[in-house]
Amino acid sequence: MMFSRASRFCAAALVVFALLAAPARASADEVLVFAAASLKTALDRIAAEFGAASGHEVTVSYAGSSVLARQIQLGAPAHLFLSANREWMDVLEADGRIDPGTRVDLLGNSLVLIGGPNADPVETMGPGFDLMARLGGGRLAMALVDAVPAGIYGKAALEHFGLWAKVKDSVAQTDNVRAALALVASGAAPLGIVYASDAMAEGRVQVIGRFPAGSHPPIVYPAAAIVNGPAAALEFLAFLQGDAAQDVFLEQGFTLPGE
């Protein structure tokens, strides 16, 4: 069932209101968040706003979702996990590492092809696109295509258009999507596949093509609390679902699930 944005975040808004209206706490809690690297620009800002309002200290560790999930499996002391795909959250839920009652599909995103400031736009992103010619002997920057969500989505999109077999040997794989973004921003790679939100966060690149939503699995960012975490972690999770945080995410190029 689809809910409006207002209905979807009603409960979260009540928690956030109580948080902001409450008197100063006698002591602040620390919240350690493990988050997909693509969330960094928006989440740094949101964490600072939450900390100022609540008195809690939020520390965010960014990496590829696969790396973070494996660290949590090994007992890393995270309190919240924000993944860039559902599969890695499913792994932790199956392992009993997250509280399934707190799990929520927080955000969506889209997939884009980026180039440097002087790169020409792609007229049509499809089977007829000569990606190898556009690379000109250079590399296509992508996150790890078999482990990191952005790379998984990117490989799926290239396979959808019959381009993967042609370009796979020219792919420069990185540990996370922000590292792929950095390769293009620095000029080390002429093109890259990243999220739309990543492209907005880096002024040295431009979007030259967009992959249709139907060319890859839906991009969904689930969030959940790790079992036995502090109450402050649940407060921050609620804050992430409130209008103030959602507005920041939207400004940074994310979407809301189902929109």
Side-chain angles (χ1 to χ4, degrees):
M1 180 180 295
M2 186 67 66
F3 295 95
S4 67
R5 180 180 178 187
S7 298
R8 184 170 178 264
F9 299 124
C10 180
L14 291 175
V15 174
V16 173
F17 177 80
L19 168 67
L20 297 177
R25 300 175 180 272
S27 62
D29 288 328
E30 296 182 0
V31 180
L32 177 57
V33 181
F34 277 22
S38 53
L39 292 165
K40 179 172 174 52
T41 304
L43 195 56
D44 279 351
R45 178 175 160 189
I46 293 167
E49 292 178 358
F50 173 78
S54 67
H56 298 312
E57 180 180 349
V58 178
T59 301
V60 187
S61 177
Y62 297 102
S65 298
S66 57
V67 172
L68 297 173
R70 288 166 180 154
Q71 289 176 351
I72 293 171
Q73 284 182 305
L74 293 172
H79 300 138
L80 288 178
F81 180 44
L82 278 63
S83 174
N85 73 356
R86 289 168 169 156
E87 285 74 13
W88 284 113
M89 191 67 79
D90 291 342
V91 168
L92 294 184
E93 184 169 346
D95 285 351
R97 296 289 182 175
I98 66 164
D99 180 350
T102 67
R103 180 171 174 172
V104 60
D105 286 343
L106 186 66
L107 300 167
N109 214 326
S110 58
L111 202 64
V112 298
L113 181 69
I114 59 169
N118 299 319
D120 295 326
V122 176
E123 292 186 6
T124 303
M125 185 67 71
F129 175 47
D130 193 345
L131 182 54
M132 289 299 295
R134 288 297 299 268
L135 286 172
R139 296 283 183 172
L140 176 67
M142 297 177 65
L144 292 168
V145 300
D146 293 323
V148 177
I152 294 170
Y153 295 130
K155 179 182 177 182
L158 293 174
E159 288 178 332
H160 177 81
F161 290 127
L163 301 175
W164 175 250
K166 301 174 184 178
V167 77
K168 64 180 182 179
D169 292 334
S170 297
V171 173
Q173 298 189 48
T174 63
D175 288 341
N176 60 71
V177 69
R178 285 299 175 97
L181 177 71
L183 286 181
V184 181
S186 67
L191 300 177
I193 297 177
V194 300
Y195 298 123
S197 58
D198 295 305
M200 288 186 64
E202 174 55 74
R204 294 174 293 172
V205 306
Q206 62 170 324
V207 174
I208 63 172
R210 296 182 181 274
F211 292 93
S215 66
H216 55 79
I219 299 173
V220 178
Y221 288 71
I226 308 301
V227 294
N228 300 321
L234 297 179
E235 293 179 14
F236 186 51
L237 181 57
F239 190 84
L240 291 172
Q241 298 171 69
D243 284 350
Q246 290 287 311
D247 285 345
V248 174
F249 284 126
L250 292 173
E251 288 173 9
Q252 296 296 325
F254 293 91
T255 61
L256 302 184
E259 294 187 0

